[in-house]
Amino acid sequence: MTDTKMVVTDLGEANARILAKEVKADFRRVEQASVKLMTHFTSAEAKRLFVRFFSTLQLNSHFVSVIARTKLKHEDVERVEALLRGKLGTATEELNKAIDGAEALFKVNGITSLATYDTKALEIEVGVISSTGRRYLELLNKFDQVMPLLQTLEIHEVITAREADIQRAGFKRAIRGVAVAARNLATGLRRRMNAMGTQDPAPEHRSENPAKGPARQDNALD
């Protein structure tokens, strides 16, 4: 039978290109149990954000919530966790508003079908090691939901290409901002922990005889 297809569609090559650029995060020191979830992304934007930021966010949030607690006060760690949750909450709220707004525009303009992607969806199992990782994965899935909504509204000229691009860029910036915040917060806590390890020993542990140099050095290493 003659092949009557007018276009050649993707059979997974696009996903292979995206996954080839995946940031290889080192989880060998993470001794957490994880909840295994199958995740599904259809838009190129969500796929790329997931590949670039999800694993590194999990590592940084693990450092904040688990490793930092071994040396720092719980209150200090909790303040940092609250900042990160705030970032996640703000980004999630923005996407929820976008979904509700798009659905309202669909109804007003009589749009009944959603634009779909011809590229193959990215389906992959992930191990979620914290509530922060779970919330970030949910955020990425909401973003993936918004992308075809914007595309549909643009196709029907309900919004302009410029308006769609501005919204798309804003959501990407917010999602990226959560991951960057996690990295910066983890770095800040790591510096505090390192500073604690290099502080001079307490006066009572020092030799009272300044001439005994070697003794002072031994005490400083205790």
Side-chain angles (χ1 to χ4, degrees):
M1 181 180 291
T2 303
D3 188 352
T4 58
K5 279 190 175 182
M6 297 179 63
V7 296
V8 177
T9 56
D10 171 74
L11 296 175
E13 296 88 350
N15 290 338
R17 288 194 299 270
I18 292 171
L19 289 171
K21 297 180 180 180
E22 182 179 4
V23 176
K24 304 300 181 184
D26 188 353
F27 276 75
R28 287 175 295 181
R29 297 183 63 187
V30 176
E31 299 178 349
Q32 297 281 101
S34 64
V35 174
K36 308 303 186 294
L37 298 174
M38 285 299 300
T39 191
H40 176 101
F41 297 106
T42 59
S43 69
E45 296 88 351
K47 292 175 184 178
R48 288 187 170 89
L49 287 174
F50 166 76
V51 164
R52 184 175 179 187
F53 293 114
F54 178 70
S55 292
T56 54
L57 173 123
Q58 287 225 100
L59 283 180
N60 286 320
S61 64
H62 173 76
F63 184 90
V64 169
S65 296
V66 178
I67 298 177
R69 272 193 166 84
T70 63
K71 289 189 177 181
L72 301 176
K73 294 180 180 178
H74 287 278
E75 295 81 2
D76 294 339
V77 174
E78 287 166 359
R79 279 193 289 270
V80 171
E81 289 175 321
L83 289 172
L84 190 53
R85 282 197 302 271
K87 283 272 188 183
L88 276 165
T90 299
T92 299
E93 186 177 354
E94 289 178 6
L95 284 169
N96 284 337
K97 288 180 180 178
I99 292 169
D100 291 342
E103 290 176 347
L105 289 175
F106 269 54
K107 186 175 182 179
V108 168
N109 291 276
I111 300 171
T112 57
S113 61
L114 181 68
T116 59
Y117 296 92
D118 294 323
T119 51
K120 193 174 181 180
L122 176 62
E123 296 183 343
I124 190 169
E125 184 182 73
V126 296
V128 178
I129 62 175
S130 67
S131 60
T132 301
R134 177 184 56 78
R135 290 186 182 190
Y136 195 66
L137 187 62
E138 291 172 354
L139 182 66
L140 287 165
N141 278 283
K142 285 183 182 292
F143 175 68
D144 192 49
Q145 184 180 348
V146 167
M147 289 301 96
L149 292 173
L150 291 179
Q151 188 71 46
T152 304
L153 292 172
E154 181 185 343
I155 290 170
H156 285 281
E157 298 185 87
V158 177
I159 61 175
T160 65
R162 181 178 181 181
E163 289 170 335
D165 189 58
I166 289 172
Q167 289 191 58
R168 189 181 298 114
F171 297 141
K172 289 168 67 175
R173 189 163 50 247
I175 293 170
R176 185 167 54 245
V178 174
V180 171
R183 182 192 65 196
N184 291 341
L185 291 168
T187 299
L189 293 179
R190 187 177 288 108
R191 286 173 178 166
R192 290 180 60 182
M193 291 168 66
N194 290 340
M196 290 173 62
T198 58
Q199 286 177 352
D200 288 336
E204 59 268 23
H205 293 301
R206 295 178 179 174
S207 171
E208 295 182 358
N209 187 350
K212 295 182 179 179
R216 293 183 56 152
Q217 291 176 359
D218 290 342
N219 288 335
L221 293 173
D222 287 343

